[in-house]
Amino acid sequence: MIRLFETHKVREKIELEGIWDFSPIKDNEINVQTYKYRLPVPGCWEMHPELLTYRGKGVYRKNITIKQKTSLRFEFKGVSHTADVYFDNNKIAHHYNAYTPFSAIVPEVEQGKHELTVLVDNSFSEASALHIPNDYYTYGGLIRPVVMQMVEEVFLERVEFTPFFKENNWSADIKIFIENISPKNCICILKGNIGNYTFDMGVYEIPASQKFEISKTVPFPDVKAWSESSPNLYLLEIQLFGKDSLIPSDDYIDRVGFRTVTIENEKIRVNGKEIFLKGFNRHEDHPSVGASFPLQLMMQDLDIMQDMGANTVRTSHYPNDERFLDLCDERGLYVWEENHARGLDLKKMQNPNFVKQCEDCNREMVQYHYNHPSIITWGILNECASETEEGRLLYKQQFEQIRGLDKSRPLTFASNKWVTDLCLDLVDIVSYNTYPGWYWDTSPIDDYHKLVNYKNAHGGKNKPLIISEFGGDGIYGYRDEGLSKGSEEKQADIIGAVLDVFMGKPDVSGVIIWQFCDCRISQENGWALNRACSRNNKGIVDRFRRPKLAAKEVKKHFKGTGTANLEKGGINI
Ligand code: ADA
């Protein structure tokens, strides 16, 4: 299952979920004679007992039967971390980054048997600027679903839906991206519908072998808004017809919500109403599946978070599986979706591949996830070199790139540079990671004053403030009434003290705990010596989702005090 709803009724598609052949390889030789393993897709190879710590290259193979001549479009939702895709031994795609989707077209495939092979590499080297040994684990494999679609010569590539509220009514700017892979110009007619509304998008001549973009503003007078308390969703269905044809040759279905996100008077507003974020940072990591989450585990994570009273998830530190975002849409959760970069100092940001790999990640994140109403902010470059002039330039370039792709959402990044940060003027929302009680023995109230004073004097005045990380280790089962660091008691104490301070302050717009669940970390570069049991133990639940003492503290705060009723004013829904 790639999404929680049908994405096509007209276009034929087959999900390539199941068992694939797999073999580790040493060089780039894709013509493997004997495949030793049969591995599940989606899946991480580390879940196999002989591949627990395998870092390197491997080839996945799947035989495919095509019933009649057609063009094929493959969509890979996530390959960790570098993929070279071959169809009948011809290379059709190269992609870097485990956490963003990509696609490849194979025109005019003959009926019969074919072979799809994917060379996957999860190794660390200079070629990889973003996947580096880190405070989380880079797994290997086809970690998210793969789908094969049968496409016509002209097909719908994607749709961008941007709702807005004007003169007491909802409308939306709808952009449709079409691709013509044939050598001739083609006339096509586009129609759409949402709920009970059908609308014409026009007639166009799509130039030969080109991508084409059309846009239109459509009013939707009687729809219901999407909000935290009423997450109304609508299926947006676009159909493409050939000239004089009454039967659509292609379609594209996405699920959308009507909501706006704005920043006014230091507050984040959804549909004009002030919101307060109470949430968790979450790594996609689980001992049984690695980073390859089935629906049940995604739902379980959200159930646990919501049971503690959370309304927000930060996808630290990479774009998430679209099914997880679908679930957030359905549940009215707010999402801070983040590009993939954690803790890169200036030297690492100056890796020759950094700029291109970030640009690709930003573009794929925004374009593939554009229509999720739950995503209320895009974040970039967690704890990178925002205290340097050179780093500032790179932050600036990325914010400009994202603003060019999406003007409808505010932007942010999580800083740990305290009173040396040079980038607060670049963002719409100022976000700080701070660890009072854990990395330093300051009190949260001192941190609060220091942060707010610096923010207001250095480009952050009148901008909302989110405390985007705080917490401390709590090793599951390690109990100590003496509150030694690492005990569940100490963790609960830190979390309670920080929430007491930051949830009560009028100039704080959100608190996001580090972190939801413990996660596996890299062994390389000293990480294993920094982290007890080779885990980041700051989860409020452990890797198996068993709650620690801190869970009660979180629930008390998130469900109780400090969550003033903010539902005043704004758009009436
Ligand atoms: C940082 C970082 C997280 C995690 C955390 C910690 O703030 O953003 O990824 O490493 O620190 O546990 O120290």
Side-chain angles (χ1 to χ4, degrees):
M1 187 206 293
I2 54 162
R3 300 293 299 272
L4 298 193
F5 52 90
E6 276 298 320
T7 51
H8 300 274
K9 284 185 203 154
V10 176
R11 187 186 302 180
E12 265 188 77
K13 59 182 194 317
I14 298 171
E15 290 191 21
L16 300 178
E17 183 173 327
I19 302 169
W20 291 43
D21 300 320
F22 176 78
S23 174
I25 53 165
K26 288 234 153 37
D27 46 29
N28 287 344
E29 184 45 66
I30 57 153
N31 291 312
V32 175
Q33 297 307 317
T34 327
Y35 285 87
K36 181 172 175 202
Y37 299 98
R38 304 262 293 145
L39 295 187
V41 170
C44 298
W45 63 51
E46 287 84 353
M47 298 302 113
H48 190 286
E50 290 175 12
L51 301 167
L52 290 176
T53 57
Y54 180 65
R55 189 162 294 290
K57 292 176 180 170
V59 176
Y60 281 84
R61 181 194 49 190
K62 181 94 184 154
N63 293 321
I64 286 165
T65 305
I66 302 296
K67 287 201 200 108
Q68 60 188 50
K69 189 171 174 178
T70 178
S71 293
L72 295 176
R73 178 176 183 273
F74 292 96
E75 191 165 309
F76 291 83
K77 293 294 185 185
V79 180
S80 186
H81 58 59
T82 297
D84 287 288
V85 184
Y86 298 80
F87 188 78
D88 292 340
N89 278 329
N90 297 313
K91 190 157 170 168
I92 57 167
H94 170 81
H95 184 263
Y96 170 77
N97 211 331
Y99 308 116
T100 46
F102 64 97
S103 66
I105 297 282
V106 194
E108 304 198 2
V109 176
E110 296 295 336
Q111 173 191 8
K113 285 202 164 34
H114 299 272
E115 191 184 62
L116 181 66
T117 38
V118 189
L119 193 160
V120 183
D121 185 1
N122 75 342
S123 53
F124 297 133
S125 73
E126 217 205 21
S128 168
L130 309 177
H131 284 279
I132 57 169
N134 220 326
D135 204 6
Y136 58 92
Y137 201 82
T138 287
Y139 290 91
L142 305 182
I143 65 169
R144 292 182 187 163
V146 186
V147 63
M148 178 176 79
Q149 305 171 338
M150 284 37 108
V151 289
E152 301 291 324
E153 291 179 329
V154 182
F155 63 90
L156 299 163
E157 201 195 283
R158 66 191 175 88
V159 174
E160 276 179 14
F161 176 87
T162 315
F164 61 91
F165 195 75
K166 209 173 160 189
E167 287 156 16
N168 271 329
N169 270 314
W170 285 104
S171 298
D173 291 327
I174 299 178
K175 258 194 198 169
I176 303 181
F177 299 82
I178 306 166
E179 188 163 350
N180 180 357
I181 53 172
S182 80
K184 55 181 194 302
N185 292 5
C186 296
I187 304 284
C188 70
I189 299 154
L190 288 153
K191 293 185 179 164
N193 80 69
I194 284 186
N196 298 328
Y197 298 93
T198 49
F199 48 92
D200 280 329
M201 291 293 291
V203 183
Y204 301 89
E205 179 163 353
I206 316 291
S209 313
Q210 273 189 40
K211 293 190 176 187
F212 193 79
E213 189 183 312
I214 61 166
S215 52
K216 194 170 173 176
T217 301
V218 185
F220 295 99
D222 289 325
V223 289
K224 290 188 178 148
W226 181 96
S227 70
E228 181 182 337
S229 51
S230 306
N232 295 299
L233 293 170
Y234 292 86
L235 288 176
L236 164 67
E237 198 170 344
I238 305 291
Q239 292 190 327
L240 185 148
F241 297 79
K243 202 179 162 202
D244 304 326
S245 171
L246 293 176
I247 300 168
S249 56
D250 195 27
D251 67 344
Y252 187 99
I253 304 171
D254 205 347
R255 208 171 53 173
V256 299
F258 290 83
R259 63 103 189 85
T260 57
V261 188
T262 49
I263 304 295
E264 282 161 57
N265 305 332
E266 274 195 314
K267 303 294 177 211
I268 309 170
R269 292 172 194 275
V270 169
N271 303 331
K273 288 179 183 153
E274 180 187 343
I275 59 166
F276 186 86
L277 310 181
K278 299 173 285 176
F280 289 100
N281 287 279
R282 173 179 175 269
H283 270 300
E284 282 180 323
D285 190 35
H286 191 285
S288 306
V289 297
S292 182
F293 268 61
L295 185 63
Q296 182 170 7
L297 291 181
M298 291 180 191
M299 291 183 69
Q300 186 188 32
D301 279 4
L302 288 169
D303 288 341
I304 297 170
M305 287 186 211
Q306 289 190 292
D307 184 57
M308 284 190 263
N311 68 358
T312 301
V313 186
R314 174 174 169 225
T315 68
S316 50
H317 299 299
Y318 36 77
N320 273 199
D321 190 304
E322 282 159 59
R323 293 166 298 167
F324 186 77
L325 300 171
D326 283 342
L327 288 168
C328 293
D329 292 343
E330 285 182 7
R331 291 165 180 239
L333 281 159
Y334 301 122
V335 176
W336 160 334
E337 175 140 271
E338 176 151 298
N339 78 355
H340 179 211
R342 182 211 165 273
L344 307 181
D345 59 18
L346 188 58
K347 191 160 172 268
K348 293 200 179 79
M349 290 175 91
Q350 287 170 337
N351 174 309
N353 296 305
F354 173 83
V355 169
K356 160 99 173 67
Q357 291 179 351
C358 284
E359 271 175 14
D360 288 349
C361 179
N362 292 339
R363 190 187 58 258
E364 288 162 344
M365 168 177 83
V366 175
Q367 290 185 345
Y368 276 94
H369 298 172
Y370 190 94
N371 295 330
H372 288 280
S374 56
I375 299 176
I376 57 156
T377 181
W378 303 115
I380 63 168
L381 304 178
N382 170 75
E383 295 191 349
C384 296
S386 54
E387 82 288 19
T388 65
E389 286 296 345
E390 299 92 324
R392 179 185 152 83
L393 203 62
L394 295 163
Y395 271 89
K396 190 162 178 280
Q397 283 166 1
Q398 292 197 31
F399 283 128
E400 281 166 3
Q401 183 206 3
I402 296 180
R403 285 204 174 93
L405 295 166
D406 181 7
K407 293 183 180 40
S408 72
R409 289 177 172 92
L411 305 185
T412 192
F413 75 97
S415 169
N416 66 340
K417 296 302 179 285
W418 280 81
V419 295
T420 59
D421 200 293
L422 300 179
C423 297
L424 304 188
D425 62 319
L426 302 177
V427 296
D428 303 303
I429 301 170
V430 174
S431 302
Y432 264 108
N433 297 346
T434 174
Y435 284 86
W438 180 250
Y439 288 120
W440 44 86
D441 288 325
T442 53
S443 74
I445 190 75
D446 292 344
D447 282 12
Y448 164 76
H449 287 302
K450 211 161 149 187
L451 283 182
V452 170
N453 290 340
Y454 183 79
K455 164 191 172 283
N456 290 341
H458 293 86
K461 201 165 170 46
N462 297 326
K463 296 179 180 178
L465 172 66
I466 294 177
I467 307 304
S468 37
E469 290 184 24
F470 55 94
D473 278 24
I475 297 167
Y476 184 81
Y478 170 45
R479 305 291 283 266
D480 178 16
E481 293 292 333
L483 302 192
S484 55
K485 281 192 172 178
S487 64
E488 288 196 37
E489 283 84 351
K490 180 67 181 173
Q491 183 193 34
D493 189 58
I494 292 172
I495 294 284
V498 175
L499 290 177
D500 274 346
V501 168
F502 286 102
M503 285 190 75
K505 294 283 174 278
D507 40 13
V508 173
S509 289
V511 287
I512 311 183
I513 295 168
W514 187 266
Q515 62 176 334
F516 170 62
C517 55
D518 293 347
C519 65
R520 180 174 175 180
I521 55 120
S522 306
Q523 294 294 298
E524 300 88 341
N525 291 7
W527 276 109
L529 299 177
N530 262 324
R531 296 282 182 241
C533 317
S534 290
R535 290 191 305 251
N536 185 309
N537 288 295
K538 296 188 187 69
I540 299 301
V541 298
D542 77 349
R543 288 191 76 204
F544 292 95
R545 276 53 179 173
R546 294 174 299 191
K548 305 179 192 171
L549 279 183
K552 277 203 183 123
E553 202 60 44
V554 174
K555 195 165 181 170
K556 189 175 91 195
H557 282 83
F558 280 4
K559 287 205 154 162
T561 54
T563 58
N565 178 13
L566 304 167
E567 300 262 318
K568 284 185 219 119
I571 296 166
N572 234 346
I573 49 166

